[in-house]
Amino acid sequence: MRILVVEDEEGLAESLRRGLSADGHVVDVAHDGHRGLDLALAGGPYDVVLLDLMLPGPGGHAICTRMRAHGDTTPVLMLTAKDGEHDEAEGLDAGADDYLTKPFSFVVLAARIRALARRAGASGRGVLQAGDLVLDPRGRRCRRGDRDIELTARELGVLACLMEQPGRAVAKQDILDEVWDTPQHIDPNIVEVYVSSLRKKIDAPFGRRSILTVHGTGYRMAPDGG
């Protein structure tokens, strides 16, 4: 894979470059937000972007937001020393696909990268539809009516899980098992963050309620798209 690392801690950036290169990947590195943004928008295409949250110049959130505004759907793994649900939610709202808090294991990082790449390019699902909501997992495209909706790789995976079983309750753990690479180490409540993000994108702007909460279980997709 071709991977972009945007990290201002030069020691960590070099460690990531060496480790990822040893795994056979082609790695570009930027140490500040301006260079990172330039590479992300014009230096690609990349298979995955590793993006530090706190950077000189534009921060990780700003870079990710700019990427998505330009229609760039490259999977983004946010790296940060911050922790907590609000920081993670902020990263997801900016368009990040996953979130890893420092310090982290390189083994875990490598597994997250593989998972993001699989979800971005290897989905075998056909086109899914619920009313006027249409999802093409293979093409990573979503639309409601005639309006396109930009989704991150993880959001796409969660939505596909629900749309494959319209009208049926899908447990949070089942979504974790399907969409996350190491679900046994993740709090099932993280699914709530992604469902909240999906509702802001596929429902709220259209006055719909297509993803319904099933208390004590998880969520279900309204067969008619809400």
Side-chain angles (χ1 to χ4, degrees):
M1 287 185 285
R2 190 174 180 204
I3 298 174
L4 172 61
V5 175
V6 187
E7 169 59 63
D8 65 325
E9 295 180 36
E10 295 191 13
L12 175 57
E14 178 60 18
S15 177
L16 291 173
R17 188 195 65 77
R18 290 198 306 267
L20 293 170
S21 296
D23 279 350
H25 305 300
V26 176
V27 184
D28 290 336
V29 177
H31 297 302
D32 64 77
H34 292 294
R35 177 62 175 160
L37 181 59
D38 287 344
L39 285 174
L41 295 181
Y46 293 101
D47 296 290
V48 176
V49 175
L50 306 185
L51 187 56
D52 189 28
L53 180 64
M54 304 297 291
L55 293 163
H61 289 155
I63 293 174
C64 193
T65 299
R66 288 283 299 278
M67 289 174 62
R68 300 313 187 216
H70 279 75
D72 187 338
T73 59
T74 302
V76 172
L77 174 58
M78 198 79 79
L79 306 177
T80 178
K82 288 188 173 184
D83 195 6
E85 291 183 354
H86 292 294
D87 296 316
E88 183 162 357
E90 188 175 358
L92 297 174
D93 285 341
D97 298 277
D98 204 354
Y99 196 96
L100 196 56
T101 303
K102 302 174 186 177
F104 50 79
S105 157
F106 183 81
V107 173
V108 172
L109 173 69
R112 296 282 187 92
I113 290 173
R114 291 193 299 270
L116 285 175
R118 284 200 305 273
R119 294 184 196 106
S123 176
R125 293 179 172 115
V127 175
L128 304 169
Q129 186 163 1
D132 64 348
L133 180 66
V134 179
L135 179 67
D136 176 6
R138 184 185 296 273
R140 297 193 70 198
R141 296 189 63 186
C142 179
R143 72 175 189 273
R144 188 181 281 282
D146 59 358
R147 287 178 58 182
D148 289 332
I149 302 170
E150 291 293 336
L151 298 180
T152 68
R154 192 85 76 181
E155 290 169 347
L156 188 148
V158 172
L159 183 57
C161 281
L162 296 172
M163 291 185 70
E164 285 181 327
Q165 304 180 66
R168 294 182 57 186
V170 182
K172 292 180 184 177
Q173 189 61 52
D174 290 341
I175 297 174
L176 275 180
D177 292 343
E178 176 68 22
V179 180
W180 272 259
D181 195 51
T182 55
Q184 65 273 21
H185 301 304
I186 300 173
D187 185 344
N189 288 329
I190 189 60
V191 176
E192 296 178 10
V193 176
Y194 285 89
V195 168
S196 175
S197 180
L198 280 170
R199 284 170 168 162
K200 292 176 183 177
K201 293 183 176 182
I202 69 171
D203 282 348
F206 304 92
R208 307 294 185 85
R209 291 184 65 250
S210 63
I211 302 179
L212 307 177
T213 300
V214 181
H215 295 290
T217 302
Y219 304 94
R220 67 180 175 88
M221 170 66 62
D224 62 357

